[in-house]
Amino acid sequence: MGSFGADISLFWQGHGLALMSALSLALACAVVGLWLQGRHLRRALGARLDTAHSRLSELQQRDPLTGLLTRSEFDTQMESLAFAADRDRGKLALLYVGLDNFRAVNEGYGPRVGDALLVEVAKRLTAIAAPDGLAARVSGDEFVVLLPGEQDDAPEGASRAQALQQALAQDFCVEAMLLQVSTSIGLAAYPDDGARTRLMAHAALAMRSVKHGGGAGHAHYNPAMGANTRDQAELLQDLRLAVARHELQLYYQPKVDAASLQVGAAEALLRWQHPKRGMVSPTVFVPLAERHGLIVGIGQWVIEEACRQAAQWRESGLRMRLAVNISGHQLRRAEFVDEIEDSLRRHQIPPGRLTCEITETVAMEDTTVTRQAFERLRQAGLHVSIDDFGTGHSSLAALRRLPAAELKIDRAFVTDLENSEDARSIVRAVIQMAHSLQLRVVAEGVETETQRDQLVQMGCDELQGYLFAKPMTARMLALWASGEGSIAGSMFRPSLFDPTAHAPL
């Protein structure tokens, strides 16, 4: 053992330095290798970080769906263009574009189709903005286009707004479907219509004024729009409380059988008795309710109140079929028919005693949702009427698929009956077409005896208008039906007062 230990000691003395040198070299090589590997990793990570930063910057600058500028990037670039306009004494025109009724497309065809439509809209906006303008998406279905112009180039914004409106009015081919959209466009010019920081707000205000007027148009900003907006905001707040405060009420306008000129039904018409403004027209507050999501709740109240009133009349011996107007927002809800049936059951009203009046425009949407709603209305046994017929684009094929019982000719045709051969030809053709499809025809807006006689001669089934009666409260109609203080009771069909009769209503 002693000899072995001595050998090891001699070996270490002879070769130890060489081993230490070799280990140091290996360690140095390893350190250099790790450093090189770390540098490579740092470079790779740096490149990835740069890419991520670049991608993040791109996302902040471009809308991921449409590829248009984002709101923040648009503001940045608009500021630069405003400085250039100040320097060169130029002008800017800002077009604020809102799609009308885009929600109906999204709900009816699904979000995939809605997104595809937005992409196609963005392409047309980009074409209008080219070559020197900007286009951005500022919210779900709202866009802005900024156009530079010369000092005296005031008409340029209006002409571009009209060109944009025409471009967007052309059919969109989306997933093998042809879709149409209308637009509301607000125009504000810099510097004429205010500071750069207020330009978009002013253009948006002008766009809202177009929407309030029914859409499908363009308007230039003026300061009075601000006052109108405040008034609309106050009206909206009051409308939110109108049901709870019992300010809404139904008026009833009789519908007259054309053959006997006796009352056989009535239409329930919504009215708002405002505590300060007095009677507010439904043409004012119904669009407001539709824009701000209040129409569904108000529509449910209308159905419930109409059923309650029908039950009350029944108790007094008057069996009156009632018609209620249904909005597209109600029709597209899955619970819509269930809610009607629930009201009918609670008030013990037969389904055939309630007429659901649905505008031709909504009825002809022909989406999966509306088709299912119509089918459920048919299965529930409800009486369906296509309202404002003649204002839309109905086809015989579409009408045959709908479980409708009647068509209601728009009052515009009735008004022109006496003086327009075209109106007479249209009404005559509608009546013949409807009868061929086993549909009854109602004419509204009858105000003269000549109109009445012409419609009777053409074979119209039911008439409604001021010639017979104006809309009235439920109490007044009950008094009128009983003939109290007048001979009006003789106008009411006798079967309406017999709760056991099986005569058709």
Side-chain angles (χ1 to χ4, degrees):
M1 292 293 294
S3 176
F4 180 74
D7 292 341
I8 290 296
S9 177
L10 290 171
F11 177 82
W12 179 252
Q13 289 176 5
H15 300 282
L17 187 60
L19 285 173
M20 288 292 291
S21 298
L23 286 172
S24 297
L25 181 62
L27 183 60
C29 289
V31 169
V32 170
L34 287 172
W35 181 81
L36 290 172
Q37 186 177 9
R39 187 174 68 170
H40 177 72
L41 270 174
R42 284 194 299 273
R43 286 179 176 176
L45 287 172
R48 290 181 183 179
L49 191 59
D50 289 342
T51 301
H53 282 156
S54 176
R55 178 60 179 156
L56 182 60
S57 177
E58 183 181 340
L59 288 174
Q60 291 174 337
Q61 294 174 359
R62 293 285 172 179
D63 174 56
L65 175 64
T66 64
L68 297 178
L69 296 176
T70 60
R71 170 69 182 268
S72 60
E73 181 62 21
F74 181 86
D75 286 341
T76 300
Q77 295 196 28
M78 181 170 66
E79 185 173 8
S80 299
L81 289 176
F83 285 143
D86 292 339
R87 182 190 64 234
D88 302 331
R89 301 186 64 190
K91 288 190 176 184
L92 300 175
L94 180 65
L95 307 180
Y96 199 107
V97 182
L99 304 186
D100 299 330
N101 302 318
F102 174 73
R103 182 178 177 181
V105 174
N106 224 24
E107 292 178 349
Y109 296 99
R112 188 177 69 178
V113 172
D115 286 350
L117 177 61
L118 293 175
V119 170
E120 294 303 314
V121 168
K123 291 178 181 177
R124 297 189 190 182
L125 290 175
T126 301
I128 289 291
D132 51 358
L134 305 175
R137 182 186 180 199
V138 294
S139 70
D141 59 354
E142 294 181 352
F143 305 83
V144 286
V145 174
L146 186 68
L147 305 167
E150 302 298 328
Q151 182 180 6
D152 298 321
D153 200 16
E156 177 64 14
S159 64
R160 289 283 189 99
Q162 190 172 10
L164 177 56
Q165 202 145 29
Q166 292 172 350
L168 295 178
Q170 302 299 315
D171 289 351
F172 289 89
C173 184
V174 178
E175 299 203 2
M177 293 183 294
L178 291 179
L179 299 179
Q180 290 184 330
V181 294
S182 63
T183 54
S184 298
I185 301 177
L187 168 63
Y190 175 80
D192 298 351
D193 294 325
R196 178 198 61 79
T197 54
R198 299 295 300 159
L199 196 63
M200 189 176 296
H202 289 169
L205 198 58
M207 187 274 288
R208 304 282 177 227
S209 74
V210 177
K211 289 229 179 209
H212 293 164
H218 64 273
H220 197 124
Y221 165 79
N222 69 68
M225 291 175 176
N228 292 337
T229 300
R230 285 191 295 273
D231 183 68
Q232 289 281 306
E234 292 173 1
L235 194 64
L236 175 61
Q237 292 304 315
D238 292 341
L239 184 58
R240 293 184 189 278
L241 302 171
V243 174
R245 291 175 174 173
H246 307 290
E247 295 170 3
L248 297 182
Q249 53 186 300
L250 294 183
Y251 275 49
Y252 301 88
Q253 186 173 33
K255 301 165 81 172
V256 174
D257 178 70
S260 65
L261 296 183
Q262 289 184 312
V263 177
E267 180 182 359
L269 299 168
L270 183 61
R271 298 290 185 264
W272 180 14
Q273 184 66 45
H274 192 281
K276 295 180 180 178
R277 301 171 185 256
M279 193 67 78
V280 181
S281 169
T283 60
V284 172
F285 72 84
V286 169
L288 192 66
E290 289 180 333
R291 285 195 300 273
H292 296 279
L294 303 180
I295 195 63
V296 170
I298 291 174
Q300 290 173 331
W301 177 87
V302 168
I303 292 169
E304 177 67 19
E305 178 63 15
C307 290
R308 186 199 65 78
Q309 186 58 62
Q312 183 176 327
W313 277 336
R314 182 190 62 224
E315 295 303 314
S316 63
L318 177 61
R319 295 163 60 249
M320 178 74 72
R321 174 191 282 159
L322 285 182
V324 294
N325 292 282
I326 305 298
S327 78
H329 298 276
Q330 290 174 272
L331 191 69
R332 298 180 195 109
R333 294 178 67 247
E335 308 88 348
F336 168 63
V337 179
D338 291 335
E339 290 166 352
I340 293 182
E341 290 184 301
D342 182 56
S343 290
L344 291 171
R345 275 194 302 269
R346 280 187 290 101
H347 295 287
Q348 299 179 358
I349 306 297
R353 197 79 59 79
L354 185 70
T355 297
C356 295
E357 293 195 2
I358 300 165
T359 63
E360 179 188 15
T361 304
V362 173
M364 294 301 131
E365 283 180 356
D366 196 30
T367 65
T368 301
V369 175
T370 53
R371 284 196 300 270
Q372 290 175 347
F374 271 105
E375 179 59 25
R376 292 202 61 202
L377 288 170
R378 183 190 67 78
Q379 293 174 355
L382 290 156
H383 191 263
V384 178
S385 175
I386 307 301
D387 197 8
D388 297 336
F389 190 81
T391 60
H393 303 282
S394 296
S395 68
L396 278 173
L399 283 174
R400 288 181 61 192
R401 291 196 300 269
L402 295 176
E406 69 180 35
L407 299 182
K408 199 169 186 183
I409 299 174
D410 185 69
R411 66 177 60 247
F413 297 109
V414 175
T415 301
D416 293 340
L417 274 180
E418 297 178 61
N419 304 312
S420 170
E421 180 57 39
D422 287 342
R424 289 192 289 273
S425 298
I426 291 171
V427 172
R428 193 177 295 110
V430 168
I431 293 173
Q432 292 174 352
M433 177 194 67
H435 287 169
S436 70
L437 295 173
Q438 308 301 311
L439 301 175
R440 287 172 57 81
V441 180
V442 181
E444 62 179 341
V446 181
E447 297 184 354
T448 69
E449 293 181 354
T450 302
Q451 292 169 352
R452 176 198 65 193
D453 295 343
Q454 288 176 325
L455 290 163
V456 170
Q457 189 273 330
M458 291 177 185
C460 191
D461 300 293
E462 209 165 37
L463 310 174
Q464 181 180 350
Y466 283 9
L467 177 64
F468 309 104
K470 293 184 178 181
M472 62 189 78
T473 64
R475 180 175 178 275
M476 288 301 298
L477 188 141
L479 291 173
W480 194 52
S482 67
E484 214 173 288
S486 72
I487 60 169
S490 62
M491 285 187 62
F492 282 74
R493 189 183 294 171
S495 62
L496 298 184
F497 302 94
D498 184 356
T500 61
H502 296 288
L505 288 179

